[in-house]
Amino acid sequence: LSDPTCRGALAWLPDGRSFVIVDSHRFGECVMGRYFGTKSAKFESFTRKLNRWGFKRVTTRGSPNMAAAYCHHLFQRDNPDLCTKMKGDGGLRATDDERQGAAGGGIDPPG
């Protein structure tokens, strides 16, 4: 999310506790290829992995059609060290309050 070459593909929501995938095609090219070693991985497979790590999909006010936003209480813009506490088996999942808070936040403009 902090990589400037991936602007337009994904962005933090204003609260810094959720992110949105703005353009799944660009996301595949920019993020999947660079950080996961493949451009051919399906977006649906990536979202299943997010679920496995405890991320929850949220609906955001004013989001573009089909924009996918996700939150996890240990994935925060200003606290990157929290990620080390995440569990890949779906432990420590986002709470309903976190999803609701993210939903009211809107979306940072890409770029």
Side-chain angles (χ1 to χ4, degrees):
L1 283 160
S2 61
D3 184 343
T5 63
C6 294
R7 286 200 177 122
L10 67 166
W12 284 106
L13 292 175
D15 67 0
R17 295 174 176 266
S18 308
F19 70 95
V20 64
I21 299 171
V22 180
D23 182 336
S24 60
H25 178 72
R26 179 150 168 69
F27 177 82
E29 291 178 348
C30 178
V31 178
M32 297 296 287
R34 181 172 297 147
Y35 297 103
F36 297 98
T38 179
K39 293 180 187 177
S40 63
K42 294 184 179 182
F43 182 72
E44 294 80 15
S45 175
F46 177 78
T47 59
R48 281 193 301 273
K49 288 177 185 177
L50 285 175
N51 291 331
R52 218 172 305 143
W53 280 88
F55 283 85
K56 292 294 182 182
R57 185 169 178 157
V58 294
T59 304
T60 57
R61 180 180 33 158
S63 66
N65 289 340
M66 304 305 286
Y70 297 89
C71 69
H72 190 296
H73 67 283
L74 296 175
F75 191 76
Q76 300 176 13
R77 176 178 49 214
D78 297 326
N79 295 306
D81 293 337
L82 287 176
C83 289
T84 61
K85 297 178 182 179
M86 294 172 71
K87 295 182 180 181
D89 63 356
L92 300 175
R93 295 183 182 274
T95 66
D96 288 339
D97 287 342
E98 289 167 331
R99 286 192 298 275
Q100 190 144 17
I107 296 176
D108 281 335

